[in-house]
């Protein structure tokens, strides 16, 4: 046990940064060289064929067999020229990660490489082997993947990857992509309809997304020496380090050479895949970092984020590092999120959230706020996971209470609208901070401060959904966000049309309804410190939910009002959303069960033996002191304390195992998830952890079996 830890220390200390060379000093020279999207298709396909593919991507028209054959031939020629031998449909089952089955281009009967349009557009994985909530039984295995031409085909690990949806033989959705595409259609239609009040020629909408991805890095040797990290993705034990994040000295600090080499390599691979990663920096906690891309169309952005996480893990391994994407891999340190920056852009290039003193802007701002007010619980459900429960509301991330931050400028704008009916938006002039230092260029003030404690904040010309977890496939929160805004816009248009039919002037009708919405949704708007207890108390008085645990948050998905809008916009049938509720509940239970079993193994096989060995050493020392006639009371007191913590940990594990076996016998998936949460997670985890963390502080450093935070988190 002890050797493993010190071997890890020795190995990690000897590592140096890996040399990374980009193929060019200009990213533009190789950006997108491993992806085959519309630009590449335009160059490779006949104009008539390309127009059909472009129409499918932009307007949702069907791709015929001849077009599919032409694309398949072109993409195979391109891929083979790059050394690719296999192809796969790359899809997103309800496991939360991507899935793929590789097939060779080589036709053994003909002795040639071949790739048909039918293979490009459709394949058949086993639907019963993926999480499906009972939609597919073992004897009903057939499922289908279907090509999504709106997301670029790409090459990774010498394999051609074709982004696809995944559905069952009965047509039920079994993935994350399909509902997102349906929600995109819903918001596209609803937004276009409302845009007609203000502007002609709006024929399509692009919901855009930029995903800021936070993560931790540790040396591979430490990762291998911490069973909880590689089993559960987080440390189940670990005393608070003397030097953690108290000094804020890691945030935006200079990047260590090994980390910088990893980042350079990771970004290089992303750029080849057409992923526009642009920002890198140290985050608040030691060992924590962030990567952020530019905005893309939302479906592509979601695919790219999932792919980016895969690339991150592969590249880290090549640098003898392990990436920890868990929302809370280390206690007492900041956790990791995935900030989703979302906006709506018309085909004419207008960002509908670009602030201005117009009824056009006000309409989309207010309807978005109203959507969050009405369906905030559904947004909370969309970010629910076992990992995110550790992070939300932990004084480092937005709370589990959904609220909207607008800032003083937009708040004043809305107040003016409700009080006087005037659209007075303070654009902000050339205001600068006066520093009294002539050589420093003037620092221009933004209209509004930022609020990093808000789960859903307006940040200039977009909304930032900050509460999304770092491991999460962001398709679900984006599906929900697009859906609820689409529903709200639909309701808005119906109300305006009814008012106009009743004889009201169009502009007057729009103003009147927006003022009503502003007043009705006031409770969801909050400008203060979302981390504070005062906000928790105030939110309760406002009637806002504060559901802290995943099993209860997931119930919002199967509320009647949620089922109604899912069905209305064809995003989920009742059968599909109930199946997902079961899947996500089971995943929660399974993760808590895995953590419980890892905790049991570590306590009984590593911690208790190490502590017992230390007690034996102390007992020997005490006996020798007594033989010499010296006072051994300090040592015997320590022995008593250590054995007390050993007893607490061991008895806690024994009781947890009995309770875990009971909970595992519960057949109802949702009831089991609630019991795992209340009985195992809340009742036992903290007690056992506290005892083990105290043992870490007592047991002689040379005998402690697990690498400590202070050893793992400071990469050189």
């Amino acid at each position: 046990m002890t050797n493993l830890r010190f071997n890890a220390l020795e190995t990690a200390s000897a590592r140096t940064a890996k040399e990374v060379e980009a193929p060019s000093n200009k990213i533009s020279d190789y950006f997108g060289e491993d992806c085959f999207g519309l630009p590449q298709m335009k160059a490779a396909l006949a104009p008539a064929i390309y127009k059909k593919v472009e129409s499918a991507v932009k307007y949702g028209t069907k791709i015929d067999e001849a077009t599919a054959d032409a694309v398949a031939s072109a993409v195979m020629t391109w891929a083979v020229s790059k050394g690719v031998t296999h192809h796969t449909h790359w899809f997103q089952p309800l496991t939360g990660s991507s899935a793929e089955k590789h097939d060779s281009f080589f036709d053994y009967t003909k002795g040639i490489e071949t790739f048909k349009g039918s293979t490009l557009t459709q394949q058949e994985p086993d639907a019963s082997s993926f999480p499906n909530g009972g939609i597919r039984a073992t004897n009903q295995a057939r499922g289908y993947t279907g090509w999504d031409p709106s997301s670029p085909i790409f090459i990774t690990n010498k394999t051609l990857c074709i982004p696809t949806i995944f559905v069952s033989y009965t047509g039920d959705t079994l993935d994350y992509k399909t509902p997102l595409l349906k929600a995109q259609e819903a918001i596209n239609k609803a937004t276009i309809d409302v845009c007609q009040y203000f502007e002609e020629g709006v024929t399509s909408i692009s919901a855009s997304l930029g995903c800021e991805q936070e993560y931790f890095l540790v040396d591979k040797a430490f990762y291998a020496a911490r069973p909880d990290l590689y089993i559960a993705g987080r440390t189940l034990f670990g005393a608070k380090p003397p030097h953690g994040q108290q000094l804020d000295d890691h945030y935006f600090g200079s990047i260590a050479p090994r980390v910088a080499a990893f980042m350079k390599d990771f970004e290089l691979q992303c750029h080849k895949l057409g992923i526009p990663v642009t920002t890198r920096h140290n985050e608040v906690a030691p060992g924590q970092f962030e990567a952020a891309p530019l905005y893309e169309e939302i479906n592509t952005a979601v695919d790219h984020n999932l792919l980016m996480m895969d690339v991150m893990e592969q590249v880290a391994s090549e640098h003898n590092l392990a990436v920890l994407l868990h929302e809370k891999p280390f206690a007492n340190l900041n956790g990791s999120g995935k900030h989703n920056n979302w906006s709506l852009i018309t085909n004419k290039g207008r960002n509908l959230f670009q602030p201005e003193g117009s009824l056009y802007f006000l309409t989309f701002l207010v309807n978005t706020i109203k959507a969050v007010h009405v369906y905030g619980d559904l947004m909370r459900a969309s970010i629910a996971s076992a990992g995110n429960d550790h992070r939300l509301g932990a004084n480092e991330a937005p709370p589990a209470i959904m609220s909207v931050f607008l800032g003083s400028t937009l708040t004043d704008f809305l107040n003016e609208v409700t009080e006087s009916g005037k659209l007075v938006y303070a654009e902000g002039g050339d205001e600068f901070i006066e520093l009294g230092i002539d050589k420093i260029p003037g620092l221009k003030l933004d209209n509004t401060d930022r609020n990093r404690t808000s789960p859903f904040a307006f940040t200039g010309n977009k909304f930032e959904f900050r509460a999304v977890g770092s491991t999460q496939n962001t398709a679900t929160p984006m599906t929900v966000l697009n859906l609820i805004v689409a529903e709200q816009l639909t309701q808005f248009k119906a109300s305006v049309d009814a008012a106009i039919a009743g004889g009201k002037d169009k502009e007057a009708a729009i103003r009147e309804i927006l003022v009503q919405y502003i007043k009705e949704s006031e409770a969801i708007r909050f400008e203060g410190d979302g981390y504070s207890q005062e906000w928790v108390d105030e939110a309760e008085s406002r009637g806002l939910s504060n559901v802290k645990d995943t099993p209860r948050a997931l119930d919002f998905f199967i509320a009647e009002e949620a089922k109604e809008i899912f069905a209305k916009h064809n995003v989920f049938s009742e059968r599909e959303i109930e199946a997902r509720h079961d899947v996500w509940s089971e995943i929660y239970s399974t993760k808590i069960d895995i953590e419980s079993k890892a905790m049991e193994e570590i306590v009984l096989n590593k911690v208790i033996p190490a502590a017992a060995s230390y007690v034996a050493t102390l007992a020997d020392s005490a006996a020798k002191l007594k033989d010499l006639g010296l006072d051994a009371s300090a040592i015997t007191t320590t022995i008593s304390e250590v054995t007390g913590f050993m007893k607490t940990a061991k008895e806690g594990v024994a009781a947890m195992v009995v309770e875990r076996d009971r909970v595992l016998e519960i057949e109802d998936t949702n009831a089991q998830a609630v019991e795992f949460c209340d009985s195992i997670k809340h009742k036992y985890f903290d007690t056992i952890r506290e005892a083990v963390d105290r043992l870490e502080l007592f047991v002689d450093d040379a005998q402690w079996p697990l690498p400590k935070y202070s050893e793992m988190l400071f990469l050189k």
Side-chain angles (χ1 to χ4, degrees):
M1 290 186 297
T2 304
N3 285 341
L4 186 60
R5 174 182 162 220
F6 283 100
N7 285 345
L9 277 166
E10 185 177 356
T11 300
S13 298
R15 307 240 208 239
T16 57
K18 178 182 175 182
E19 290 292 327
V20 178
E21 287 296 328
S24 169
N25 290 328
K26 295 195 301 181
I27 295 173
S28 57
D29 287 343
Y30 55 88
F31 185 79
E33 69 175 34
D34 286 341
C35 71
F36 198 79
L38 284 180
Q40 292 79 14
M41 289 186 188
K42 189 172 185 179
L45 298 172
I49 295 293
Y50 171 74
K51 284 183 179 179
K52 289 183 179 180
V53 178
E54 183 183 38
S55 177
V57 172
K58 293 184 176 180
Y59 308 113
T61 56
K62 297 290 185 184
I63 290 179
D64 57 49
E65 186 177 341
T67 300
D69 282 337
V71 174
S73 177
V75 76
M76 185 197 72
T77 300
W78 169 76
V80 170
S81 73
K82 293 174 129 332
V84 172
T85 57
H86 288 67
H87 59 86
T88 183
H89 273 198
W90 184 83
F91 58 103
Q92 302 168 30
L94 298 182
T95 56
S97 57
S98 59
E100 52 199 63
K101 174 178 69 75
H102 299 189
D103 289 307
S104 171
F105 283 123
F106 185 65
D107 185 331
Y108 291 90
T109 61
K110 298 178 180 177
I112 58 170
E113 272 69 29
T114 185
F115 188 48
K116 297 179 180 178
S118 57
T119 307
L120 167 69
T121 56
Q122 180 176 325
Q123 286 188 11
E124 184 191 326
D126 185 341
S128 66
S129 297
F130 290 103
N132 58 68
I135 284 178
R136 294 270 81 190
T138 305
N139 64 321
Q140 298 173 319
R142 197 181 299 278
Y144 300 111
T145 51
W147 174 37
D148 171 16
S150 64
S151 189
I153 296 169
F154 59 91
I155 294 171
T156 184
N157 298 322
K158 296 296 183 183
T159 301
L160 183 73
C161 298
I162 303 150
T164 64
I165 63 166
F166 178 39
V167 299
S168 74
Y169 182 71
T170 53
D172 295 303
T173 61
L174 297 175
D175 66 340
Y176 287 94
K177 179 186 276 284
T178 307
L180 178 63
L181 293 174
K182 290 181 176 183
Q184 274 184 264
E185 289 188 9
I187 199 165
N188 186 56
K189 181 181 185 306
T191 305
I192 290 170
D193 287 347
V194 172
C195 283
Q196 305 311 310
Y197 289 139
F198 308 102
E199 181 181 15
E200 294 181 354
V202 176
T203 56
S204 65
I205 297 295
S206 172
S208 75
L209 175 66
C211 296
E212 303 170 23
Q213 179 72 53
E214 294 176 330
Y215 61 96
F216 281 81
L217 288 174
V218 297
D219 189 276
K220 248 186 181 179
F222 291 135
Y223 182 74
R226 291 284 314 215
D228 45 1
L229 277 185
Y230 62 75
I231 292 172
R234 73 181 183 102
T235 53
L236 299 170
F237 307 107
K240 188 174 182 178
H243 179 189
Q245 63 187 57
Q246 308 97 310
L247 296 173
D248 297 323
D249 50 346
H250 189 258
Y251 190 51
F252 277 30
S254 58
I255 301 172
R258 285 185 67 197
V259 176
F262 157 77
M263 287 177 167
K264 183 177 180 181
D265 201 356
F266 154 67
E267 289 177 1
L268 171 61
Q269 303 310 318
C270 283
H271 290 151
K272 288 182 177 180
L273 289 164
I275 304 174
V277 178
T278 186
T279 301
R280 63 168 90 131
H281 64 83
N282 290 1
E283 257 299 336
V284 172
Q288 187 185 33
F289 310 93
E290 181 177 295
L294 293 175
Y295 307 104
E296 299 181 277
E297 181 275 328
I298 199 166
N299 178 46
T300 302
V302 168
D303 283 2
H304 277 171
N305 178 255
L306 196 61
L307 177 57
M308 187 174 80
M309 291 192 289
D310 284 344
V311 171
M312 198 177 279
E313 291 181 337
Q314 293 170 16
V315 172
S317 182
E318 293 169 7
H319 288 253
N320 289 308
L321 296 167
V323 166
L324 307 179
L325 292 168
H326 193 284
E327 284 77 11
K328 190 75 170 178
F330 300 100
N332 303 306
L333 296 173
N334 272 20
S336 296
K338 190 182 338 242
H339 306 155
N340 281 223
N341 296 279
W342 171 85
S343 61
L344 298 172
I345 300 170
T346 72
N347 61 294
K348 299 180 75 174
R350 184 188 187 103
N351 183 340
L352 295 173
F353 294 122
Q354 184 62 46
E356 60 182 25
S358 74
L359 207 55
Y360 204 166
F361 165 65
L362 183 69
T363 293
F364 286 94
L365 176 72
V366 171
N367 274 284
T368 301
I369 298 167
K370 176 70 171 170
V372 178
H373 179 241
V374 176
Y375 298 106
D377 288 342
L378 203 50
M379 289 183 69
R380 170 63 184 97
S382 77
I383 55 169
S385 71
N388 218 16
D389 283 356
H390 294 289
R391 169 181 165 263
L392 294 178
N395 286 347
E396 65 196 49
I401 305 163
M402 292 296 105
S403 66
V404 178
F405 169 81
L406 295 178
S408 57
T409 303
L410 286 179
T411 298
D412 291 343
F413 179 46
L414 295 188
N415 290 341
E416 186 65 36
V417 171
T418 55
E419 291 168 11
S420 70
K422 295 179 180 178
L423 298 171
V424 181
Y425 177 75
E427 291 283 352
D430 291 334
E431 279 192 75
F432 294 87
I433 298 176
E434 295 297 333
L435 298 172
I437 307 173
D438 292 340
K439 69 177 72 175
I440 301 296
L443 302 179
K444 189 174 181 179
L445 281 171
D446 288 292
N447 276 354
T448 295
D449 204 349
R450 293 180 63 198
N451 188 339
R452 67 188 305 274
T453 72
S454 173
F456 194 70
F458 191 83
T459 54
N461 59 1
K462 62 189 184 305
F463 280 96
E464 183 181 21
F465 195 3
R466 294 181 56 86
V468 181
S470 51
T471 60
Q472 191 166 5
N473 184 324
T474 195
T476 296
M478 290 300 98
T479 295
V480 167
L481 181 55
N482 281 345
L483 173 67
I484 64 175
V485 174
E487 171 61 15
Q488 181 53 47
L489 289 171
T490 302
Q491 295 289 339
F492 170 73
K493 185 175 188 303
S495 298
V496 172
D497 287 350
I500 293 172
K504 274 220 185 249
D505 172 74
K506 180 180 72 174
E507 184 172 320
I510 291 173
R511 282 174 181 267
E512 185 177 297
I513 292 166
L514 291 179
V515 168
Q516 176 189 335
Y517 286 173
I518 292 169
K519 292 176 179 178
E520 289 174 347
S521 60
E522 189 174 359
I524 203 71
R525 287 159 44 200
F526 180 65
E527 304 295 300
D529 182 1
Y531 295 170
S532 66
Q533 181 59 41
E534 288 78 9
W535 169 232
V536 174
D537 298 336
E538 183 180 337
E540 184 177 2
S541 70
R542 293 187 184 192
L544 302 180
S545 300
N546 184 13
V547 180
K548 297 180 179 180
D549 293 312
T550 287
R552 293 173 177 86
L554 290 176
D555 285 344
F556 292 133
F557 274 125
I558 54 173
E560 286 307 312
E561 58 269 28
K563 289 180 179 178
E564 286 175 11
I565 66 163
F566 283 138
K568 177 180 177 180
H569 295 280
N570 192 35
V571 172
F572 292 119
S573 66
E574 182 171 346
R575 165 184 161 97
E576 287 171 331
I577 195 58
E578 287 183 346
R580 281 167 195 259
H581 181 258
D582 284 348
V583 167
W584 289 327
S585 296
E586 185 176 5
I587 287 173
Y588 176 88
S589 297
T590 303
K591 287 188 175 180
I592 301 300
D593 180 42
I594 289 169
E595 289 186 356
S596 168
K597 289 172 179 172
M599 187 174 276
E600 176 188 4
E601 179 183 324
I602 292 168
V603 169
L604 299 182
N605 295 339
K606 294 186 180 297
V607 172
I608 296 299
S613 176
Y614 178 57
V615 167
T617 302
L618 290 178
D620 184 54
S621 297
K624 289 178 180 177
L625 286 176
K626 289 177 182 177
D627 288 345
L628 295 171
L630 300 175
D631 182 16
S633 60
I635 294 179
T636 55
T637 298
T638 299
I639 290 173
S640 176
E641 290 182 290
V642 172
T643 53
F645 291 129
M646 289 170 62
K647 182 181 179 184
T648 299
K650 194 169 183 179
E651 290 180 350
V653 166
M656 178 182 69
V657 170
V658 171
E659 182 69 359
R660 187 181 68 210
D661 290 343
R662 179 190 73 80
V663 175
L664 284 171
E665 291 178 359
I666 298 174
E667 293 185 1
D668 183 273
T669 306
N670 311 320
Q672 187 186 80
V674 171
E675 281 291 282
F676 259 117
C677 176
D678 295 347
S679 299
I680 305 300
K681 176 186 169 186
H682 288 314
K683 191 172 180 180
Y684 293 104
F685 278 15
D686 288 346
T687 300
I688 298 168
R689 180 191 178 97
E690 184 178 345
V692 172
D693 289 355
R694 294 294 293 169
L695 286 172
E696 180 182 321
L697 296 175
F698 270 99
V699 172
D700 180 64
D701 192 59
Q703 292 177 269
W704 187 249
L706 303 172
K708 300 180 179 182
Y709 285 6
S710 54
E711 296 164 346
M712 291 190 286
L713 289 171
F714 293 90
L715 289 164
K716 61 182 175 62

